[in-house]
Amino acid sequence: MGTEGENVRVIAGRYRLHERIGRGGMGVVWRATDELLGRQVAVKELTLDPSLSADEARNQRERTLREARAVARLHHPHIVVVHDVVVHDERPYIVMELIDGGSLADRVADRGPVDAREAARIGIGLLGALRRAHDAGVLHRDLKPANVLIESGTDRVVLTDFGIAQVAGATTLTENGSFVGSPEYTAPERMSGVRTGPESDLWSLGALLCAVLSGKSPFRRDSLGGILHAVVVDEIRPPAQAGPILPVVRGLLERDPQRRLDAAEAERLLREFLETGRTPRVPAVHPPTQRDLPRRALSLPLRTGPGTAAARDAAGWPVRRPGRGAVVAAALVAAMAGAGVSAAALLMRHGDGGVAPATTAPPHPSAGSGTPGPSTPGSRPGPTVTVTRTAPSAPPAGRTAPAGYRTVRDPQGFSLAVPADFTRSPQGERIFYLSPDPDQTFRLGIRLADPDPGGPLAVLRRSAAEGPSTNPGYRDGTVTGTSHRGYPAALWEFSRRGFTTAEGPRHTYDLCWQEGGRLYEVWLSAPVGKVAKAKEYFDVAVGTFTPG
């Protein structure tokens, strides 16, 4: 076959390889000469897994050739032209047009991030390429700046490296039962193995736009576990530079693929921005992105899976079913398993990798107390911000606890609905209702106190300020000014690392309000993989809470 050190070698009796011009996870790209037609080309030498048996290697080679030929049928000005697909010494090669220019990743690294107009131009070109590929039943599955070329002299945007593309109805190209792709740019549904469709490429485009605008992917972290957590769990925070095209970026980075902005609408909005210079407005009929839902109204229907509204009983309460938490957990396990890594080990070591000393009491943040609070794993402290939103409204008069819950009248002078199997555990001024499992997976806490002069917002701001010192791996903390049943309120959400290795990462919802001369605080802490069920428990608790 020849070695990398050889100056030239000829494959298929026609293509003379010269210097290597690129290397990726799927192979090596050479500058070459097509001696038959006398033109310069790029030749990609695909790597085969040396551990495969002869039959497995042959099947993989045949799949590679079949799907590469399908990609070769794609003709679009923003898709690299594939001239030929050949086999030499039992190794497949793809012969492509030679683009005189570097990758988009190199451009950003050398010259810095691009402005919003250039990002929109790049986005329009890539959307056209993706629409053409998707119409032909071809998914790219590895869209990232390194796989986009910018032609010198023309600035033409060219999508290349369909090395792990997938053709509808075919087995994944060069895939051997493991996760392939670039995690920072991979859609959450692909990580979970639930589905892969055109929407997954559009998520990758959203991450790419953020990267070229700011210099890095919004999901970049220091470890694979951190990246996976960011993609499927963390709040998505587009960079400030994305402001002029923010509706497009947010629409593409919608975790629910059925609610994700489609290619035609994304292209229309980007063209509108280029023509007017104004931030495009998404039509009112376009559904809000998932990241907007938690802070719009806590009583909004709980989503139990991609594209599905939560089932509810006759009284309107959500039915307890496996929800997004199960999808999140599946995503982390599937993706990490495909990478040959223990999901539990990575998640528990997410962030700085440390483990806090064990604690015997379920922790929770109380106003100004410095007491550890419930939450999830993490790394760096997150910022505290304040906006105004709407909290859950009180349940209609006469509404009873939903199925699977019971109404408790606590000795401390309040009542609320909790899951039927939760048990009461008073701890000083805080009252906990805990799930019955040994790890106390779900921890519902209640605190009653005298009114605070600064109101609920000041209470939770103080707790959030102490978050990094009271919660190991505190991150993504947000304090939101709101109202509850017409009373001033505040909502605090954050994540932390577990206080023990076994506890693992957790997330907390915390609502504080003042009513009838008293301050009330209700919170729910749960593992990040069970946030959907935690959100249900939290909504029911605050929706049925009755003082006195």
Side-chain angles (χ1 to χ4, degrees):
M1 182 188 75
T3 65
E4 185 177 308
E6 291 180 350
N7 291 326
V8 293
R9 54 191 168 98
V10 178
I11 63 168
R14 175 176 176 177
Y15 303 105
R16 183 173 296 276
L17 308 186
H18 302 295
E19 73 271 21
R20 190 182 70 194
I21 58 177
R23 177 187 289 275
M26 308 309 297
V28 178
V29 180
W30 303 86
R31 181 186 297 271
T33 299
D34 179 347
E35 296 188 328
L36 179 62
L37 298 180
R39 63 181 175 184
Q40 295 294 297
V41 295
V43 175
K44 185 166 187 177
E45 178 182 2
L46 294 175
T47 303
L48 295 179
D49 186 345
S51 67
L52 297 179
S53 67
D55 287 342
E56 290 171 332
R58 182 174 58 257
N59 290 336
Q60 183 181 16
R61 184 167 56 250
E62 291 173 354
R63 289 198 306 269
T64 298
L65 295 173
R66 181 174 64 250
E67 297 182 16
R69 287 170 182 142
V71 174
R73 293 196 296 269
L74 300 178
H75 298 289
H76 190 276
H78 296 292
I79 296 178
V80 68
V81 176
V82 175
H83 296 307
D84 200 0
V85 181
V86 299
V87 175
H88 182 81
D89 287 345
E90 298 186 346
R91 183 178 297 271
Y93 293 79
I94 300 177
V95 184
M96 304 171 288
E97 69 171 314
L98 180 64
I99 304 295
D100 181 17
S103 72
L104 183 56
D106 292 338
R107 174 174 175 171
V108 172
D110 294 341
R111 296 159 53 181
V114 305
D115 61 21
R117 293 191 65 84
E118 178 65 359
R121 186 188 75 85
I122 292 169
I124 289 171
L126 293 176
L127 283 165
L130 290 175
R131 291 177 69 183
R132 175 66 187 91
H134 295 163
D135 287 346
V138 176
L139 307 179
H140 189 280
R141 304 203 318 147
D142 198 21
L143 179 59
K144 59 184 178 182
N147 287 340
V148 177
L149 301 178
I150 305 296
E151 188 174 48
S152 299
T154 67
D155 277 345
R156 178 168 67 110
V157 177
V158 183
L159 179 58
T160 186
D161 206 347
F162 282 78
I164 62 169
Q166 187 173 41
V167 179
T171 306
T172 302
L173 176 63
T174 67
E175 185 176 356
N176 186 31
S178 61
F179 179 81
V180 290
S182 304
E184 288 181 40
Y185 297 92
T186 300
E189 66 272 13
R190 267 206 65 216
M191 288 186 171
S192 70
V194 172
R195 59 175 288 173
T196 296
E199 302 87 356
S200 300
D201 282 344
L202 295 175
W203 167 283
S204 300
L205 177 60
L208 178 146
L209 291 176
C210 291
V212 300
L213 283 163
S214 68
K216 66 177 183 179
S217 161
F219 307 107
R220 180 172 299 176
R221 299 294 188 271
D222 295 333
S223 66
L224 175 60
I227 293 171
L228 299 178
H229 188 274
V231 170
V232 301
V233 175
D234 282 354
E235 179 183 3
I236 299 172
R237 295 175 178 169
Q241 297 91 328
I245 57 172
L246 189 58
V248 178
V249 171
R250 281 184 171 170
L252 294 173
L253 292 180
E254 160 60 53
R255 283 194 171 105
D256 182 343
Q258 293 192 15
R259 297 163 60 88
R260 198 167 296 154
L261 197 63
D262 63 35
E265 181 67 2
E267 183 174 343
R268 185 191 71 77
L269 293 172
L270 290 177
R271 290 190 182 280
E272 178 184 326
F273 167 71
L274 286 183
E275 293 170 1
T276 66
R278 296 191 297 271
T279 300
R281 297 184 63 182
V282 177
V285 296
H286 185 73
T289 59
Q290 193 168 11
R291 68 180 298 280
D292 294 328
L293 295 181
R295 291 177 180 82
R296 287 197 172 193
L298 299 177
S299 56
L300 285 175
L302 171 68
R303 299 187 61 80
T304 57
T308 60
R312 292 180 173 258
D313 63 17
W317 291 107
V319 176
R320 295 168 58 184
R321 293 179 180 173
R324 179 174 174 269
V327 175
V328 168
L332 291 170
V333 171
M336 292 179 183
V341 183
S342 163
L346 279 175
L347 273 181
M348 292 175 184
R349 296 181 183 276
H350 175 55
D352 59 19
V355 176
T359 178
T360 56
H364 176 68
S366 58
S369 66
T371 305
S375 64
T376 52
S379 52
R380 301 171 300 280
T384 298
V385 297
T386 303
V387 294
T388 301
R389 299 284 191 249
T390 303
S393 58
R399 172 177 277 188
T400 59
Y405 292 76
R406 62 187 174 92
T407 298
V408 297
R409 302 191 182 281
D410 196 271
Q412 291 296 318
F414 61 85
S415 64
L416 79 169
V418 301
D421 54 359
F422 276 30
T423 57
R424 185 176 187 269
S425 176
Q427 297 175 24
E429 67 173 355
R430 296 172 296 160
I431 306 299
F432 282 91
Y433 284 87
L434 308 173
S435 58
D437 57 290
D439 295 329
Q440 298 172 338
T441 299
F442 297 98
R443 303 165 188 171
L444 173 64
I446 304 98
R447 186 176 73 93
L448 283 63
D450 293 330
D452 187 278
L457 197 57
V459 170
L460 292 191
R461 279 177 174 172
R462 288 197 299 268
S463 295
E466 295 170 356
S469 61
T470 60
N471 294 273
Y474 178 86
R475 62 180 294 150
D476 299 333
T478 59
V479 175
T480 304
T482 182
S483 64
H484 179 53
R485 290 200 288 253
Y487 296 98
L491 174 68
W492 179 23
E493 284 190 55
F494 65 95
S495 298
R496 68 163 169 85
R497 189 173 58 249
F499 282 89
T500 66
T501 302
E503 184 180 40
R506 298 181 69 83
H507 189 78
T508 295
Y509 298 97
D510 186 327
L511 183 70
C512 180
W513 75 97
Q514 290 187 176
E515 176 180 358
R518 295 285 282 169
L519 183 141
Y520 300 95
E521 190 174 0
V522 176
W523 64 91
L524 196 294
S525 167
V528 294
K530 298 181 181 295
V531 291
K533 184 171 287 189
K535 183 63 165 54
E536 174 196 322
Y537 291 164
F538 179 70
D539 282 354
V540 171
V542 297
T544 58
F545 187 93
T546 304

